[in-house]
Amino acid sequence: MAVEQYRQYIQHILAERQKRAAMQQKLNSEEYEVQTIFDEKQDHYQLLYVGWRGNRRDFGCILHLDIKDGKIWIQHDGTEEGIANRLVDMGVPKQDIILAFHEPYIRQFTEFGTN
Amino acid sequence: MAVEQYRQYIQHILAERQKRAAMQQKLNSEEYEVQTIFDEKQDHYQLLYVGWRGNRRDFGCILHLDIKDGKIWIQHDGTEEGIANRLVDMGVPKQDIILAFHEPYIRQFTEFGTN
């Protein structure tokens, strides 16, 4: 499947989750944001939260994906649903999805890609 | 100062630190990367590390900056030198730099911007 298609899928999913996370987490803090960062040139995509809740700083990555050599690398997935399954539902072959948060030697025992 | 100038400054500094961090941290792991993510449309900029050292997963943000309403927000700074000082050295007025990792009410007691 074309890399351009993967770029659109990833950005679609991250924007969708951004909306959902923003609704759940915004509460009443002015500085609280859920951001997407889309770098199409380098093919890095991230969803993160940043802000203050009273005097507590919140900052962290929710999702980080890369496209490398035509495959989607899931570097970090802090969601409950698992973005890999969502990508499969959209039609991405499992071989084109690398669960990079699993140790390299473990990946051969999953149904997903190995590199 | 023009926002376009700020975009260039931020990307220059992050690329510079990417090289330095990559040299220090790469060691001998094939999957280890120091990445920059540049989203000029939304003005979010991040430097992070991702990879494996043996069976240990490394994933984390080194720097995260935004441009909002013509000002540079330092959301996260995990560097020793402090990127705020580097920006000042490049000619950015302190009022245009928000130390967002400090609580909002603390910022008035710094030499930097308050919002």
Side-chain angles (χ1 to χ4, degrees):
Chain A
M1 206 181 277
V3 165
E4 188 48 43
Q5 186 80 71
Y6 289 172
R7 288 190 181 111
Q8 299 316 315
Y9 284 173
I10 291 173
Q11 294 184 48
H12 175 82
I13 297 174
L14 266 56
E16 188 181 82
R17 306 239 162 150
Q18 178 184 29
K19 271 183 223 157
R20 212 187 304 165
M23 277 193 296
Q24 288 166 353
Q25 302 186 354
K26 195 158 189 171
L27 304 172
N28 43 20
S29 166
E30 281 170 36
E31 264 190 47
Y32 209 91
E33 279 180 74
V34 181
Q35 297 180 351
T36 52
I37 325 181
F38 295 154
D39 183 336
E40 290 201 336
K41 275 190 212 158
Q42 303 187 92
D43 274 326
H44 303 316
Y45 304 90
Q46 195 178 112
L47 178 68
L48 73 144
Y49 54 88
V50 54
W52 287 93
R53 297 180 191 264
N55 62 359
R56 204 187 90 194
R57 181 65 171 167
D58 263 10
F59 178 83
C61 176
I62 303 168
L63 280 164
H64 184 96
L65 287 89
D66 298 321
I67 303 175
K68 289 202 268 190
D69 301 325
K71 299 191 178 185
I72 299 174
W73 288 61
I74 304 178
Q75 300 284 13
H76 180 81
D77 185 352
T79 66
E80 274 178 36
E81 308 96 325
I83 197 168
N85 294 326
R86 180 88 173 89
L87 288 165
V88 170
D89 288 345
M90 291 175 100
V92 181
K94 286 183 175 174
Q95 277 64 35
D96 281 4
I97 300 173
I98 313 295
L99 305 181
F101 52 80
H102 282 322
E103 275 186 72
Y105 96 95
I106 293 285
R107 293 176 203 154
Q108 60 187 304
F109 307 115
T110 71
E111 294 179 301
F112 292 89
T114 51
N115 64 26
Chain B
M1 207 180 274
V3 165
E4 187 49 42
Q5 186 81 70
Y6 288 172
R7 289 191 181 111
Q8 298 316 314
Y9 284 173
I10 291 172
Q11 293 183 47
H12 175 83
I13 297 174
L14 266 56
E16 186 182 83
R17 306 239 162 151
Q18 177 184 29
K19 271 184 223 157
R20 211 187 304 165
M23 277 194 294
Q24 287 168 353
Q25 303 188 352
K26 195 157 186 171
L27 304 170
N28 43 21
S29 166
E30 281 170 34
E31 265 190 46
Y32 208 92
E33 281 178 75
V34 180
Q35 297 181 352
T36 51
I37 325 181
F38 295 154
D39 183 336
E40 289 201 335
K41 274 191 214 156
Q42 304 188 94
D43 274 327
H44 303 315
Y45 304 90
Q46 194 177 112
L47 178 68
L48 73 145
Y49 55 89
V50 54
W52 288 93
R53 298 178 190 269
N55 63 357
R56 204 187 89 195
R57 181 65 170 167
D58 263 9
F59 178 83
C61 176
I62 303 169
L63 280 165
H64 183 96
L65 287 88
D66 298 321
I67 303 175
K68 290 201 268 191
D69 301 324
K71 298 193 177 183
I72 299 174
W73 287 62
I74 304 177
Q75 300 284 13
H76 180 81
D77 185 351
T79 67
E80 274 178 35
E81 309 96 325
I83 197 169
N85 295 327
R86 181 87 172 91
L87 288 165
V88 170
D89 288 345
M90 291 176 100
V92 180
K94 287 183 175 173
Q95 277 65 32
D96 281 4
I97 301 172
I98 314 295
L99 305 181
F101 50 81
H102 283 324
E103 276 185 73
Y105 95 93
I106 293 284
R107 293 176 203 154
Q108 61 188 303
F109 307 116
T110 71
E111 292 178 304
F112 292 90
T114 50
N115 64 27

